[in-house]
Amino acid sequence: LVIIPLLVIRKYVRISLNLMRSTTPPLTRNPLDYEPLVGEPVSFPAFDGLRLHGMLVRRRPDVPRRGMVVFAHEFCADMHSCARYCRPLQQVGYDILAFDFRGHGGTPCEPGYTPRQWVTNLDVDDMRGAIAFAQHWLEEQGLPREVALFGISRGACAAILAARDVPDVRAIISDGVYSTDTSIEYFMRRWAYIYAKVGVVYENHPPAFWRMLRWLMVLCASREQRCTFPSVRKAIARMRPMPMLFIHGERDSYLPVAQSRQLYALAPQPKFMWVAPGARHNQAVVL
């Protein structure tokens, strides 16, 4: 009675670990489908000391300054994707700091770490380093240290996780955000039929079983990949009040809009949500 359930759980965990190892999102856009913005090259340390590369895009000189936006790109992109999302902000008076997460663009990756679509503590270190650099630059210019964060998919996860402990973050825009724990649980339920032979069994697992399985799987993945996978869901539930805009594609077949709706429900006021009609993952800006 003890050994058989443990063997079943072990099999589930071993199979489910593939979600953390190799599953990649179906990127439907061409990474060069926009005109790049020209910025001043910058370099700064992440919170763990790794050197990150980025660029500072100044606002249009003929408009009044409105603030600083730190842009966090999506998985498998780089800092230049800020042109797709931030060009209108730059044109109306915002300075933009964009940077490459580790293992993306011009930022190297330390040996033994492979970036994946699931946000890790190392990605949060990168985001916190970018915020600290933006604040230092603002101080040098004699400007307030206040910044806004604009993150796409995994970048949005890192932005929310980093913002919780930085009082000078005044607003967050997230496009396609999700929480690793609830997303993993969603994928395990969605794909269980591929591996489970007895449908009546996996279709009737209680919710507590999936939560326990998800916890075990994330724990094993953390040990295997030598990093942690923080929960956006837990962070946003403890977020101090600030304006937050949630964007999600209505036809996102990779991460359903329910992922953003759940986080939106947990976020404090003031908050706003736009479900982009007909848009897929990371495609709201195109439509």
Side-chain angles (χ1 to χ4, degrees), residues 6-284:
L6 288 177
L7 291 175
V8 171
I9 291 173
R10 180 184 177 188
K11 179 180 179 180
Y12 267 112
V13 170
R14 188 174 67 251
I15 293 172
S16 299
L17 273 171
N18 291 320
L19 293 171
M20 306 293 284
R21 292 171 179 154
S22 57
T23 304
T24 55
L27 301 175
T28 58
R29 50 123 179 110
N30 182 330
L32 298 179
D33 63 358
Y34 55 86
E35 180 183 354
L37 286 171
V38 178
E40 171 190 344
V42 295
S43 179
F44 52 87
F47 257 46
D48 65 348
L50 183 72
R51 204 75 189 169
L52 307 178
H53 294 275
M55 66 176 179
L56 185 62
V57 180
R58 304 292 185 99
R59 75 184 193 282
R60 278 180 48 176
D62 57 337
V63 295
R65 184 181 185 277
R66 301 184 67 176
M68 164 71 79
V69 174
V70 180
F71 177 77
H73 65 76
E74 62 269 48
F75 180 59
C76 290
D78 60 25
M79 60 182 167
H80 294 290
S81 72
C82 73
R84 179 187 292 110
Y85 302 94
C86 297
R87 187 183 304 275
L89 296 175
Q90 184 257 352
Q91 291 175 345
V92 297
Y94 289 94
D95 297 312
I96 310 295
L97 173 65
F99 68 99
D100 292 332
F101 282 99
R102 65 188 66 205
H104 291 75
T107 298
C109 195
E110 64 270 42
Y113 177 71
T114 301
R116 292 177 173 85
Q117 75 272 28
W118 310 109
V119 66
T120 71
N121 61 302
L122 301 179
D123 303 313
V124 179
D125 282 346
D126 294 348
M127 190 76 220
R128 294 174 68 193
I131 295 171
F133 174 81
Q135 292 177 319
H136 178 70
W137 183 85
L138 290 169
E139 283 185 335
E140 288 185 332
Q141 306 297 313
L143 299 170
R145 290 167 49 90
E146 299 170 348
V147 298
L149 309 182
F150 189 171
I152 312 300
S153 194
R154 192 189 73 158
C157 299
I160 290 173
L161 288 163
R164 196 188 70 179
D165 300 319
V166 184
D168 291 320
V169 173
R170 299 301 303 273
I172 301 177
I173 303 173
S174 67
D175 187 343
V177 70
Y178 55 91
S179 188
T180 296
D181 46 10
T182 54
S183 297
I184 286 295
E185 186 173 326
Y186 162 76
F187 283 127
M188 287 192 298
R189 291 171 178 261
R190 178 180 176 182
W191 294 335
Y193 75 92
I194 298 176
Y195 304 101
K197 304 302 182 184
V198 184
V200 70
V201 175
Y202 76 79
E203 290 171 357
N204 292 281
H205 284 317
F209 171 83
W210 294 107
R211 288 195 295 270
M212 178 192 66
L213 185 62
R214 172 243 294 171
W215 177 80
L216 287 172
M217 196 265 284
V218 172
L219 179 64
C220 292
S222 298
R223 291 180 176 177
E224 179 183 277
Q225 300 177 27
R226 292 183 293 178
C227 59
T228 62
F229 298 91
S231 170
V232 175
R233 173 181 56 87
K234 294 179 181 178
I236 210 167
R238 299 190 293 267
M239 186 78 71
R240 58 188 168 77
M242 72 174 76
M244 298 184 68
L245 170 61
F246 295 82
I247 303 170
H248 210 103
E250 179 188 41
R251 296 179 59 197
D252 191 333
S253 58
Y254 179 66
L255 291 163
V257 68
Q259 296 289 325
S260 277
R261 290 192 189 279
Q262 182 186 50
L263 297 175
Y264 172 80
L266 293 171
Q269 294 283 4
K271 57 185 176 181
F272 313 87
M273 185 165 188
W274 175 44
V275 178
R280 297 187 183 276
H281 191 61
N282 297 352
Q283 292 294 294

